[in-house]
Amino acid sequence: MHIVDRRLNGSGKSLANRQRFLRRAKSLVRQAVRNSSKDRSIKDLDQGGEVSIPLDGVREPRLRRSSKGGVREGLFPGNKKFIEGDTIPRDPSGGGGRGNEGAEDGSGEDDFRFVLSREEYLDLFFDDLELPDLAKKKLATTESQSLARAGYSTAGSPANMSLSRTMRNSLSRRIALRRPKGEDLKALEAEVEALAESGLEPERLEVLRAELALLQDRTRRVSFVDPIDIRYRRFNPVPKPVAQAVMFCLMDTSASMTEHMKDLAKRFFSLLYIFLKRRYKNVDIVFIRHTHEAKEVDEETFFSSPETGGTVVSSALDEMIRVVEARYPPGDWNIYTAQASDGDNSSGDTERTATTLRDGVLPLCQYFAYLEVGRENETPHMGFVQRQTELWRTYEAVAKAGSDFAMCKVRHRAEIYPVFRKLFERKDKAAAGGTGRAAAKGATA
């Protein structure tokens, strides 16, 4: 997104201040876009729209005299009410002068409004997010190519002309054809001129003049740079290695998942789907729904099918392993998994789930993100240890083993985007800020 500041450049406002203002405005717009995601529906998530930023955040800093300290005297015209020594009461409206009027509801914010296109909105929405540890493993397709140096050619674009190779060819040709050097010509011309002025040795003068004419003629016939000397840098297109990845989306659709929980899970996967389609070209997405049994479904079925039943989490992990063995060799594909569940699991399936996750799924995955959705009115009790679901305790034990595994809980729609950012935050920023995936484990628990 580019913001154009069309204000007049008043006195005392340097270029650095205006650039600082633009950076701050862009940061506020980015934050406003992230906040607006809380109130958007799933269908409106990938559309542009209008966002507003508070007025206070975009005021330019300026120097002013301090009201404290020092002794100042002044005469202000038009004062008929106060004399020296009177105490001026504070404005009952609370205003600090002329300033800008607040909004009609009295909040005094949202004075700057930006209308963003769909592209601008999504760029700001997914800024600083990425799939972690995406490695280049295989030439997935030939659609991505880069140019590589392939020597020199006698034809090409002027922009690709190689001056060093051209001058090297020119020098070789001039030496081979014995083109006279410039300094030799100047010395001979000076000697001829000196003899002509002195009037001595007329025979030698004629010889030198003949030699000078011969060298000048050879200089004209052997040019300094000839077209045959020119060389151009040559580039050939070569296939560029591209990273290919697959994201497995595992969603619990059992009877224990309420409509609120399903809405949270679908919002999370909708964000993930838009993020992957927006940022990556060679990423496959596999949708797996599970109740007491799991199966791979298409996008429409994943988000809209009303099918429900019991809960056996290990069935989803088994279905994922089956798909990986059938279509996605781990040596060629970057494999990621995102799972959403309410945490309930069949009592007899806990040990099998832990074993399948630890020994079967995690060795295949480069990153596993688990999102546990809770009830909206569920609040932690003060002074008591919060009750953890059986699946959370199972996954927590696996996560403590040191795998690249992240866990988060959400209970409200507004928590989806902050949790999504923590799960897929860029690694360098996550390490610097201490808010990475490791820190995200149980961040909202």
Side-chain angles (χ1 to χ4, degrees), residues 175-205:
I175 293 175
L177 298 179
R178 302 176 62 185
R179 185 180 192 271
K181 297 181 180 178
E183 53 270 25
D184 295 341
L185 278 175
K186 289 182 180 178
L188 186 58
E189 288 173 352
E191 186 175 358
V192 170
E193 185 177 356
L195 284 177
E197 290 179 355
S198 64
L200 302 175
E201 303 181 27
E203 296 81 6
R204 176 171 172 75
L205 179 60

PDB file of all heavy atoms in Angstrom, residues 175-205:
ATOM      1  N   ILE A 175      46.724  -4.336 -31.467  1.00  0.00           N
ATOM      2  CA  ILE A 175      48.108  -4.832 -31.360  1.00  0.00           C
ATOM      3  C   ILE A 175      48.436  -5.711 -32.564  1.00  0.00           C
ATOM      4  O   ILE A 175      49.533  -5.618 -33.147  1.00  0.00           O
ATOM      5  CB  ILE A 175      48.282  -5.610 -30.042  1.00  0.00           C
ATOM      6  CG1 ILE A 175      48.163  -4.663 -28.849  1.00  0.00           C
ATOM      7  CG2 ILE A 175      49.616  -6.335 -30.016  1.00  0.00           C
ATOM      8  CD1 ILE A 175      48.214  -5.355 -27.506  1.00  0.00           C
ATOM      9  N   ALA A 176      47.488  -6.554 -32.972  1.00  0.00           N
ATOM     10  CA  ALA A 176      47.758  -7.458 -34.091  1.00  0.00           C
ATOM     11  C   ALA A 176      47.943  -6.689 -35.406  1.00  0.00           C
ATOM     12  O   ALA A 176      48.791  -7.047 -36.233  1.00  0.00           O
ATOM     13  CB  ALA A 176      46.603  -8.458 -34.230  1.00  0.00           C
ATOM     14  N   LEU A 177      47.173  -5.616 -35.603  1.00  0.00           N
ATOM     15  CA  LEU A 177      47.265  -4.834 -36.854  1.00  0.00           C
ATOM     16  C   LEU A 177      48.268  -3.699 -36.735  1.00  0.00           C
ATOM     17  O   LEU A 177      48.380  -2.897 -37.666  1.00  0.00           O
ATOM     18  CB  LEU A 177      45.877  -4.279 -37.209  1.00  0.00           C
ATOM     19  CG  LEU A 177      44.804  -5.339 -37.489  1.00  0.00           C
ATOM     20  CD1 LEU A 177      43.465  -4.678 -37.800  1.00  0.00           C
ATOM     21  CD2 LEU A 177      45.221  -6.229 -38.655  1.00  0.00           C
ATOM     22  N   ARG A 178      48.956  -3.599 -35.607  1.00  0.00           N
ATOM     23  CA  ARG A 178      50.039  -2.609 -35.407  1.00  0.00           C
ATOM     24  C   ARG A 178      49.516  -1.191 -35.610  1.00  0.00           C
ATOM     25  O   ARG A 178      50.087  -0.391 -36.337  1.00  0.00           O
ATOM     26  CB  ARG A 178      51.201  -2.898 -36.348  1.00  0.00           C
ATOM     27  CG  ARG A 178      51.778  -4.295 -36.156  1.00  0.00           C
ATOM     28  CD  ARG A 178      52.851  -4.580 -37.163  1.00  0.00           C
ATOM     29  NE  ARG A 178      53.980  -3.658 -37.037  1.00  0.00           N
ATOM     30  CZ  ARG A 178      55.026  -3.620 -37.870  1.00  0.00           C
ATOM     31  NH1 ARG A 178      55.038  -4.480 -38.904  1.00  0.00           N
ATOM     32  NH2 ARG A 178      56.006  -2.776 -37.695  1.00  0.00           N
ATOM     33  N   ARG A 179      48.447  -0.884 -34.935  1.00  0.00           N
ATOM     34  CA  ARG A 179      47.916   0.480 -34.986  1.00  0.00           C
ATOM     35  C   ARG A 179      48.842   1.389 -34.168  1.00  0.00           C
ATOM     36  O   ARG A 179      49.213   1.064 -33.039  1.00  0.00           O
ATOM     37  CB  ARG A 179      46.504   0.526 -34.405  1.00  0.00           C
ATOM     38  CG  ARG A 179      45.818   1.893 -34.521  1.00  0.00           C
ATOM     39  CD  ARG A 179      44.423   1.814 -33.909  1.00  0.00           C
ATOM     40  NE  ARG A 179      43.635   2.979 -34.227  1.00  0.00           N
ATOM     41  CZ  ARG A 179      43.590   4.102 -33.499  1.00  0.00           C
ATOM     42  NH1 ARG A 179      44.337   4.184 -32.401  1.00  0.00           N
ATOM     43  NH2 ARG A 179      42.847   5.115 -33.868  1.00  0.00           N
ATOM     44  N   PRO A 180      49.279   2.495 -34.721  1.00  0.00           N
ATOM     45  CA  PRO A 180      50.208   3.376 -33.991  1.00  0.00           C
ATOM     46  C   PRO A 180      49.594   3.879 -32.697  1.00  0.00           C
ATOM     47  O   PRO A 180      48.392   4.164 -32.625  1.00  0.00           O
ATOM     48  CB  PRO A 180      50.460   4.527 -34.981  1.00  0.00           C
ATOM     49  CG  PRO A 180      50.076   3.995 -36.305  1.00  0.00           C
ATOM     50  CD  PRO A 180      48.971   3.013 -36.066  1.00  0.00           C
ATOM     51  N   LYS A 181      50.462   4.015 -31.693  1.00  0.00           N
ATOM     52  CA  LYS A 181      50.001   4.562 -30.427  1.00  0.00           C
ATOM     53  C   LYS A 181      49.861   6.073 -30.515  1.00  0.00           C
ATOM     54  O   LYS A 181      50.587   6.739 -31.260  1.00  0.00           O
ATOM     55  CB  LYS A 181      50.981   4.205 -29.311  1.00  0.00           C
ATOM     56  CG  LYS A 181      51.087   2.708 -29.062  1.00  0.00           C
ATOM     57  CD  LYS A 181      52.053   2.442 -27.920  1.00  0.00           C
ATOM     58  CE  LYS A 181      52.165   0.951 -27.663  1.00  0.00           C
ATOM     59  NZ  LYS A 181      53.135   0.647 -26.577  1.00  0.00           N
ATOM     60  N   GLY A 182      48.972   6.616 -29.766  1.00  0.00           N
ATOM     61  CA  GLY A 182      48.738   8.064 -29.793  1.00  0.00           C
ATOM     62  C   GLY A 182      49.952   8.864 -29.359  1.00  0.00           C
ATOM     63  O   GLY A 182      50.273   9.907 -29.959  1.00  0.00           O
ATOM     64  N   GLU A 183      50.675   8.383 -28.327  1.00  0.00           N
ATOM     65  CA  GLU A 183      51.825   9.140 -27.847  1.00  0.00           C
ATOM     66  C   GLU A 183      52.971   9.138 -28.862  1.00  0.00           C
ATOM     67  O   GLU A 183      53.731  10.134 -28.975  1.00  0.00           O
ATOM     68  CB  GLU A 183      52.324   8.586 -26.498  1.00  0.00           C
ATOM     69  CG  GLU A 183      52.605   7.110 -26.467  1.00  0.00           C
ATOM     70  CD  GLU A 183      51.408   6.283 -26.075  1.00  0.00           C
ATOM     71  OE1 GLU A 183      50.261   6.762 -26.289  1.00  0.00           O
ATOM     72  OE2 GLU A 183      51.605   5.184 -25.543  1.00  0.00           O
ATOM     73  N   ASP A 184      53.101   8.049 -29.649  1.00  0.00           N
ATOM     74  CA  ASP A 184      54.139   8.006 -30.679  1.00  0.00           C
ATOM     75  C   ASP A 184      53.850   9.019 -31.784  1.00  0.00           C
ATOM     76  O   ASP A 184      54.760   9.680 -32.312  1.00  0.00           O
ATOM     77  CB  ASP A 184      54.234   6.598 -31.263  1.00  0.00           C
ATOM     78  CG  ASP A 184      54.707   5.580 -30.250  1.00  0.00           C
ATOM     79  OD1 ASP A 184      55.309   6.004 -29.221  1.00  0.00           O
ATOM     80  OD2 ASP A 184      54.476   4.374 -30.450  1.00  0.00           O
ATOM     81  N   LEU A 185      52.538   9.125 -32.143  1.00  0.00           N
ATOM     82  CA  LEU A 185      52.162  10.107 -33.174  1.00  0.00           C
ATOM     83  C   LEU A 185      52.446  11.528 -32.702  1.00  0.00           C
ATOM     84  O   LEU A 185      52.957  12.367 -33.461  1.00  0.00           O
ATOM     85  CB  LEU A 185      50.683   9.949 -33.513  1.00  0.00           C
ATOM     86  CG  LEU A 185      50.323   8.832 -34.502  1.00  0.00           C
ATOM     87  CD1 LEU A 185      48.822   8.717 -34.653  1.00  0.00           C
ATOM     88  CD2 LEU A 185      50.966   9.109 -35.867  1.00  0.00           C
ATOM     89  N   LYS A 186      52.110  11.816 -31.454  1.00  0.00           N
ATOM     90  CA  LYS A 186      52.330  13.174 -30.941  1.00  0.00           C
ATOM     91  C   LYS A 186      53.820  13.503 -30.897  1.00  0.00           C
ATOM     92  O   LYS A 186      54.234  14.628 -31.213  1.00  0.00           O
ATOM     93  CB  LYS A 186      51.722  13.294 -29.541  1.00  0.00           C
ATOM     94  CG  LYS A 186      50.198  13.286 -29.562  1.00  0.00           C
ATOM     95  CD  LYS A 186      49.646  13.455 -28.155  1.00  0.00           C
ATOM     96  CE  LYS A 186      48.137  13.447 -28.178  1.00  0.00           C
ATOM     97  NZ  LYS A 186      47.555  13.571 -26.812  1.00  0.00           N
ATOM     98  N   ALA A 187      54.634  12.528 -30.500  1.00  0.00           N
ATOM     99  CA  ALA A 187      56.097  12.784 -30.449  1.00  0.00           C
ATOM    100  C   ALA A 187      56.664  13.044 -31.836  1.00  0.00           C
ATOM    101  O   ALA A 187      57.513  13.943 -32.037  1.00  0.00           O
ATOM    102  CB  ALA A 187      56.787  11.583 -29.796  1.00  0.00           C
ATOM    103  N   LEU A 188      56.146  12.260 -32.829  1.00  0.00           N
ATOM    104  CA  LEU A 188      56.642  12.452 -34.196  1.00  0.00           C
ATOM    105  C   LEU A 188      56.185  13.794 -34.764  1.00  0.00           C
ATOM    106  O   LEU A 188      56.953  14.482 -35.452  1.00  0.00           O
ATOM    107  CB  LEU A 188      56.149  11.297 -35.079  1.00  0.00           C
ATOM    108  CG  LEU A 188      56.689  11.251 -36.512  1.00  0.00           C
ATOM    109  CD1 LEU A 188      58.221  11.182 -36.503  1.00  0.00           C
ATOM    110  CD2 LEU A 188      56.114  10.050 -37.262  1.00  0.00           C
ATOM    111  N   GLU A 189      54.949  14.166 -34.471  1.00  0.00           N
ATOM    112  CA  GLU A 189      54.454  15.467 -34.950  1.00  0.00           C
ATOM    113  C   GLU A 189      55.256  16.612 -34.329  1.00  0.00           C
ATOM    114  O   GLU A 189      55.567  17.609 -34.999  1.00  0.00           O
ATOM    115  CB  GLU A 189      52.969  15.615 -34.582  1.00  0.00           C
ATOM    116  CG  GLU A 189      52.047  14.729 -35.405  1.00  0.00           C
ATOM    117  CD  GLU A 189      50.623  14.788 -34.896  1.00  0.00           C
ATOM    118  OE1 GLU A 189      50.401  15.392 -33.814  1.00  0.00           O
ATOM    119  OE2 GLU A 189      49.719  14.229 -35.560  1.00  0.00           O
ATOM    120  N   ALA A 190      55.612  16.483 -33.053  1.00  0.00           N
ATOM    121  CA  ALA A 190      56.400  17.535 -32.395  1.00  0.00           C
ATOM    122  C   ALA A 190      57.799  17.642 -33.002  1.00  0.00           C
ATOM    123  O   ALA A 190      58.339  18.755 -33.193  1.00  0.00           O
ATOM    124  CB  ALA A 190      56.493  17.236 -30.895  1.00  0.00           C
ATOM    125  N   GLU A 191      58.369  16.479 -33.327  1.00  0.00           N
ATOM    126  CA  GLU A 191      59.716  16.498 -33.921  1.00  0.00           C
ATOM    127  C   GLU A 191      59.690  17.122 -35.316  1.00  0.00           C
ATOM    128  O   GLU A 191      60.579  17.910 -35.692  1.00  0.00           O
ATOM    129  CB  GLU A 191      60.265  15.066 -33.996  1.00  0.00           C
ATOM    130  CG  GLU A 191      61.707  14.995 -34.471  1.00  0.00           C
ATOM    131  CD  GLU A 191      62.257  13.577 -34.422  1.00  0.00           C
ATOM    132  OE1 GLU A 191      61.501  12.664 -33.984  1.00  0.00           O
ATOM    133  OE2 GLU A 191      63.411  13.379 -34.822  1.00  0.00           O
ATOM    134  N   VAL A 192      58.656  16.797 -36.122  1.00  0.00           N
ATOM    135  CA  VAL A 192      58.525  17.393 -37.469  1.00  0.00           C
ATOM    136  C   VAL A 192      58.351  18.900 -37.382  1.00  0.00           C
ATOM    137  O   VAL A 192      58.935  19.670 -38.144  1.00  0.00           O
ATOM    138  CB  VAL A 192      57.344  16.737 -38.212  1.00  0.00           C
ATOM    139  CG1 VAL A 192      57.036  17.498 -39.504  1.00  0.00           C
ATOM    140  CG2 VAL A 192      57.671  15.270 -38.530  1.00  0.00           C
ATOM    141  N   GLU A 193      57.541  19.321 -36.427  1.00  0.00           N
ATOM    142  CA  GLU A 193      57.289  20.758 -36.282  1.00  0.00           C
ATOM    143  C   GLU A 193      58.561  21.504 -35.854  1.00  0.00           C
ATOM    144  O   GLU A 193      58.853  22.601 -36.342  1.00  0.00           O
ATOM    145  CB  GLU A 193      56.179  20.969 -35.259  1.00  0.00           C
ATOM    146  CG  GLU A 193      55.747  22.430 -35.127  1.00  0.00           C
ATOM    147  CD  GLU A 193      54.602  22.589 -34.154  1.00  0.00           C
ATOM    148  OE1 GLU A 193      54.110  21.545 -33.646  1.00  0.00           O
ATOM    149  OE2 GLU A 193      54.212  23.722 -33.902  1.00  0.00           O
ATOM    150  N   ALA A 194      59.345  20.866 -34.974  1.00  0.00           N
ATOM    151  CA  ALA A 194      60.580  21.511 -34.506  1.00  0.00           C
ATOM    152  C   ALA A 194      61.601  21.639 -35.636  1.00  0.00           C
ATOM    153  O   ALA A 194      62.257  22.691 -35.798  1.00  0.00           O
ATOM    154  CB  ALA A 194      61.174  20.712 -33.347  1.00  0.00           C
ATOM    155  N   LEU A 195      61.731  20.568 -36.460  1.00  0.00           N
ATOM    156  CA  LEU A 195      62.682  20.641 -37.576  1.00  0.00           C
ATOM    157  C   LEU A 195      62.235  21.656 -38.614  1.00  0.00           C
ATOM    158  O   LEU A 195      63.055  22.368 -39.208  1.00  0.00           O
ATOM    159  CB  LEU A 195      62.829  19.253 -38.216  1.00  0.00           C
ATOM    160  CG  LEU A 195      63.689  18.227 -37.449  1.00  0.00           C
ATOM    161  CD1 LEU A 195      63.672  16.884 -38.157  1.00  0.00           C
ATOM    162  CD2 LEU A 195      65.135  18.744 -37.313  1.00  0.00           C
ATOM    163  N   ALA A 196      60.913  21.745 -38.836  1.00  0.00           N
ATOM    164  CA  ALA A 196      60.405  22.705 -39.836  1.00  0.00           C
ATOM    165  C   ALA A 196      60.669  24.130 -39.392  1.00  0.00           C
ATOM    166  O   ALA A 196      61.004  25.012 -40.214  1.00  0.00           O
ATOM    167  CB  ALA A 196      58.904  22.461 -40.050  1.00  0.00           C
ATOM    168  N   GLU A 197      60.548  24.406 -38.100  1.00  0.00           N
ATOM    169  CA  GLU A 197      60.790  25.765 -37.602  1.00  0.00           C
ATOM    170  C   GLU A 197      62.268  26.107 -37.619  1.00  0.00           C
ATOM    171  O   GLU A 197      62.656  27.248 -37.864  1.00  0.00           O
ATOM    172  CB  GLU A 197      60.254  25.894 -36.181  1.00  0.00           C
ATOM    173  CG  GLU A 197      58.739  25.870 -36.114  1.00  0.00           C
ATOM    174  CD  GLU A 197      58.253  25.967 -34.691  1.00  0.00           C
ATOM    175  OE1 GLU A 197      59.113  25.954 -33.767  1.00  0.00           O
ATOM    176  OE2 GLU A 197      57.029  26.048 -34.484  1.00  0.00           O
ATOM    177  N   SER A 198      63.135  25.119 -37.379  1.00  0.00           N
ATOM    178  CA  SER A 198      64.576  25.408 -37.337  1.00  0.00           C
ATOM    179  C   SER A 198      65.202  25.565 -38.725  1.00  0.00           C
ATOM    180  O   SER A 198      66.200  26.247 -38.915  1.00  0.00           O
ATOM    181  CB  SER A 198      65.303  24.294 -36.575  1.00  0.00           C
ATOM    182  OG  SER A 198      65.179  23.061 -37.267  1.00  0.00           O
ATOM    183  N   GLY A 199      64.605  24.876 -39.732  1.00  0.00           N
ATOM    184  CA  GLY A 199      65.147  24.928 -41.084  1.00  0.00           C
ATOM    185  C   GLY A 199      66.374  24.076 -41.285  1.00  0.00           C
ATOM    186  O   GLY A 199      67.022  24.163 -42.333  1.00  0.00           O
ATOM    187  N   LEU A 200      66.742  23.256 -40.331  1.00  0.00           N
ATOM    188  CA  LEU A 200      67.931  22.407 -40.418  1.00  0.00           C
ATOM    189  C   LEU A 200      67.530  21.010 -40.890  1.00  0.00           C
ATOM    190  O   LEU A 200      66.397  20.589 -40.759  1.00  0.00           O
ATOM    191  CB  LEU A 200      68.607  22.316 -39.045  1.00  0.00           C
ATOM    192  CG  LEU A 200      69.034  23.662 -38.427  1.00  0.00           C
ATOM    193  CD1 LEU A 200      69.585  23.445 -37.018  1.00  0.00           C
ATOM    194  CD2 LEU A 200      70.070  24.361 -39.326  1.00  0.00           C
ATOM    195  N   GLU A 201      68.461  20.248 -41.440  1.00  0.00           N
ATOM    196  CA  GLU A 201      68.303  18.862 -41.870  1.00  0.00           C
ATOM    197  C   GLU A 201      67.038  18.680 -42.713  1.00  0.00           C
ATOM    198  O   GLU A 201      66.077  18.002 -42.331  1.00  0.00           O
ATOM    199  CB  GLU A 201      68.252  17.919 -40.661  1.00  0.00           C
ATOM    200  CG  GLU A 201      69.453  18.014 -39.756  1.00  0.00           C
ATOM    201  CD  GLU A 201      69.367  17.042 -38.593  1.00  0.00           C
ATOM    202  OE1 GLU A 201      68.692  15.994 -38.749  1.00  0.00           O
ATOM    203  OE2 GLU A 201      69.946  17.331 -37.532  1.00  0.00           O
ATOM    204  N   PRO A 202      66.978  19.286 -43.868  1.00  0.00           N
ATOM    205  CA  PRO A 202      65.769  19.152 -44.732  1.00  0.00           C
ATOM    206  C   PRO A 202      65.527  17.714 -45.184  1.00  0.00           C
ATOM    207  O   PRO A 202      64.379  17.296 -45.343  1.00  0.00           O
ATOM    208  CB  PRO A 202      66.090  20.072 -45.910  1.00  0.00           C
ATOM    209  CG  PRO A 202      67.561  20.237 -45.913  1.00  0.00           C
ATOM    210  CD  PRO A 202      68.020  20.138 -44.489  1.00  0.00           C
ATOM    211  N   GLU A 203      66.625  16.919 -45.371  1.00  0.00           N
ATOM    212  CA  GLU A 203      66.425  15.529 -45.800  1.00  0.00           C
ATOM    213  C   GLU A 203      65.724  14.712 -44.701  1.00  0.00           C
ATOM    214  O   GLU A 203      64.790  13.956 -44.983  1.00  0.00           O
ATOM    215  CB  GLU A 203      67.773  14.863 -46.136  1.00  0.00           C
ATOM    216  CG  GLU A 203      68.518  15.472 -47.318  1.00  0.00           C
ATOM    217  CD  GLU A 203      69.283  16.740 -46.916  1.00  0.00           C
ATOM    218  OE1 GLU A 203      69.304  17.034 -45.687  1.00  0.00           O
ATOM    219  OE2 GLU A 203      69.828  17.414 -47.787  1.00  0.00           O
ATOM    220  N   ARG A 204      66.209  14.889 -43.488  1.00  0.00           N
ATOM    221  CA  ARG A 204      65.546  14.139 -42.376  1.00  0.00           C
ATOM    222  C   ARG A 204      64.094  14.597 -42.187  1.00  0.00           C
ATOM    223  O   ARG A 204      63.209  13.794 -41.865  1.00  0.00           O
ATOM    224  CB  ARG A 204      66.344  14.368 -41.074  1.00  0.00           C
ATOM    225  CG  ARG A 204      65.683  13.716 -39.867  1.00  0.00           C
ATOM    226  CD  ARG A 204      66.588  13.755 -38.656  1.00  0.00           C
ATOM    227  NE  ARG A 204      65.882  13.295 -37.457  1.00  0.00           N
ATOM    228  CZ  ARG A 204      65.591  12.028 -37.204  1.00  0.00           C
ATOM    229  NH1 ARG A 204      65.995  11.085 -38.058  1.00  0.00           N
ATOM    230  NH2 ARG A 204      64.946  11.698 -36.108  1.00  0.00           N
ATOM    231  N   LEU A 205      63.840  15.878 -42.419  1.00  0.00           N
ATOM    232  CA  LEU A 205      62.475  16.396 -42.294  1.00  0.00           C
ATOM    233  C   LEU A 205      61.550  15.712 -43.288  1.00  0.00           C
ATOM    234  O   LEU A 205      60.409  15.346 -42.943  1.00  0.00           O
ATOM    235  CB  LEU A 205      62.478  17.918 -42.510  1.00  0.00           C
ATOM    236  CG  LEU A 205      61.101  18.595 -42.428  1.00  0.00           C
ATOM    237  CD1 LEU A 205      60.468  18.380 -41.045  1.00  0.00           C
ATOM    238  CD2 LEU A 205      61.224  20.084 -42.740  1.00  0.00           C
TER     239      LEU A 205
END
